[in-house]
Amino acid sequence: MENTNIDRETLRELADEGNETALDRLADLADAVGDLDELSELLDEGSLRAGLLLTRRATAAGDLRELQRISDAGYDEAGSQLEQLLKASADEYRD
């Protein structure tokens, strides 16, 4: 299969029509350029891929508030990562 260059406008149109693959591709493009605002918007639109990408970034940064926000937006893995970070910080505090 030939690799084609699909523009963002076409991806947006497809995503607006309910195409989840197009929504995921938009999330990948936003992540590649570090556009956290667009990733957040895509998460709000229901993109689990955007949730995954935002969760990875927030976990790497140790950003507990952002993990809570992502979890509240419906990406459950962010809540799991938040709990792990909280438990790890509690364990460090005890040592």
Side-chain angles (χ1 to χ4, degrees):
M1 184 171 166
E2 194 173 308
N3 186 11
T4 59
N5 187 11
I6 301 172
D7 64 71
R8 293 174 81 85
E9 184 177 321
T10 300
L11 287 171
R12 172 46 58 200
E13 289 172 6
L14 292 171
D16 288 346
E17 292 173 7
N19 186 307
E20 290 185 28
T21 304
L23 198 61
D24 290 348
R25 182 70 179 120
L26 284 171
D28 289 334
L29 292 173
D31 185 60
V33 296
D35 190 340
L36 300 180
D37 290 335
E38 184 174 1
L39 277 173
S40 292
E41 289 173 17
L42 292 167
L43 175 62
D44 292 341
E45 291 177 42
S47 171
L48 295 179
R49 180 78 180 153
L52 169 72
L53 297 168
L54 286 167
T55 297
R56 285 182 183 169
R57 287 174 174 269
T59 300
D63 190 337
L64 303 178
R65 288 187 177 113
E66 180 65 4
L67 285 168
Q68 182 66 58
R69 187 195 70 76
I70 298 165
S71 177
D72 290 346
Y75 188 69
D76 295 336
E77 181 61 26
S80 298
Q81 291 296 318
L82 175 60
E83 290 301 314
Q84 287 180 2
L85 287 175
L86 288 171
K87 287 178 183 175
S89 69
D91 290 343
E92 289 176 14
Y93 181 73
R94 285 187 213 130
D95 290 340

